[in-house]
Amino acid sequence: MELAAFFPMWDQLTETQRQTLTQIAVRRQAQAGAVLHRGSDDCLGLLLVESGQLRASLLSPEGREITIYRLFPRDICLLSASCMMRSIQFDITIEAEKDTQFLLVPPDRFQALMAQSAPLANYTNEIMASRFSEVMWLMEQVMWKRFDQRLAQFLLEESALEGSQTLYLTHEKIANHLGTAREVVTRMLRYFQSEGMVQLRRGVVELTDRAKLEAM
């Protein structure tokens, strides 16, 4: 995938800036389950996703995870370059949910390019604002939405992502996505099963009544 696909303001960069960005971007691969970035001390750089799927999550002091957003082809992850943003006070983990190919841009070189190019700096700020909007939306969901609704929404979104009614997810994995305890997920899934919305097998959740889930 060409770098221009990631930057809609590509034509506003000078030829020298485009060449520099092309030269410093390194193509990397990660297998599903690999952790690419963990915490503020790890300033990996910008991740530009060419194929696959990444997950950004937060870890509480008690060891509980919650997914804050996902990254798909043509997405850019800035929070993996935390040293560029000194005001960031929380630690994010980035892991590959699927085999992923991405471009990695060194943070210091990208920061130098932003200092030269207002369009690049403005677009970078737009991406950051969008990510924080997603985090705020997540906070609203956690604070104000009932867990049965959040779980139903998660299952429907996973089904759309995978293109299947059969989801290969453990209760622990779902709990990590939603920031709750495995026991809470298990109880609610069993309730969903009793209502005919899902069928449970070991490591598998099969959606059997999408209409009921959507209504919820």
Side-chain angles (χ1 to χ4, degrees):
M1 186 180 296
E2 296 295 328
L3 273 173
F6 294 95
F7 299 99
M9 27 55 63
W10 185 257
D11 290 341
Q12 298 178 51
L13 299 176
T14 67
E15 181 62 28
T16 299
Q17 290 165 350
R18 290 196 292 265
Q19 289 179 359
T20 299
L21 196 50
T22 301
Q23 290 167 1
I24 64 177
V26 180
R27 183 166 281 106
R28 298 281 177 85
Q29 292 183 335
Q31 293 185 332
V35 174
L36 305 180
H37 170 81
R38 193 191 301 277
S40 59
D41 293 334
D42 176 11
C43 194
L44 179 66
L46 273 74
L47 295 175
L48 284 59
V49 182
E50 293 189 300
S51 63
Q53 183 173 309
L54 302 179
R55 169 182 177 247
S57 63
L58 288 174
L59 184 66
S60 75
E62 297 78 23
R64 184 171 295 175
E65 292 183 43
I66 187 168
T67 298
I68 56 172
Y69 58 79
R70 276 150 153 179
L71 296 151
F72 303 99
R74 298 181 67 153
D75 278 344
I76 297 176
C77 183
L78 292 172
L79 294 179
S80 53
S82 53
C83 56
M84 286 174 46
M85 298 158 285
R86 300 297 183 184
S87 59
I88 299 297
Q89 298 296 320
F90 50 86
D91 293 342
I92 279 188
T93 297
I94 310 289
E95 67 172 316
E97 289 194 297
K98 299 180 178 180
D99 291 347
T100 301
Q101 182 167 288
F102 60 95
L103 293 168
L104 183 63
V105 179
D108 54 340
R109 302 293 300 277
F110 189 79
Q111 199 164 24
L113 282 172
M114 283 198 300
Q116 300 170 14
S117 170
L120 182 60
N122 291 337
Y123 182 60
T124 303
N125 289 334
E126 286 177 16
I127 296 173
M128 183 57 66
S130 175
R131 292 301 174 211
F132 276 112
S133 293
E134 292 179 30
V135 173
M136 292 302 296
W137 178 87
L138 173 65
M139 289 177 61
E140 290 177 355
Q141 298 297 301
V142 172
M143 293 173 66
W144 310 122
K145 204 167 189 177
R146 298 198 321 258
F147 182 69
D148 58 347
Q149 295 174 322
R150 290 180 60 216
L151 179 57
Q153 180 176 328
F154 172 78
L155 294 176
L156 290 168
E157 289 174 352
E158 285 296 303
S159 176
L161 281 175
E162 299 301 326
S164 173
Q165 307 280 46
T166 303
L167 306 177
Y168 295 92
L169 290 167
T170 65
H171 297 189
E172 183 73 26
K173 185 83 170 178
I174 296 172
N176 288 343
H177 277 293
L178 297 178
T180 189
R182 179 185 58 79
E183 294 78 8
V184 175
V185 171
T186 297
R187 284 196 298 270
M188 192 58 68
L189 283 175
R190 286 175 178 169
Y191 167 72
F192 282 9
Q193 181 170 249
S194 71
E195 292 294 309
M197 291 183 278
V198 302
Q199 183 66 44
L200 304 177
R201 303 193 302 277
R202 185 175 182 84
V204 177
V205 180
E206 184 174 355
L207 278 55
T208 52
D209 195 329
R210 293 184 63 92
K212 277 188 178 181
L213 289 169
E214 288 166 356
M216 180 172 291

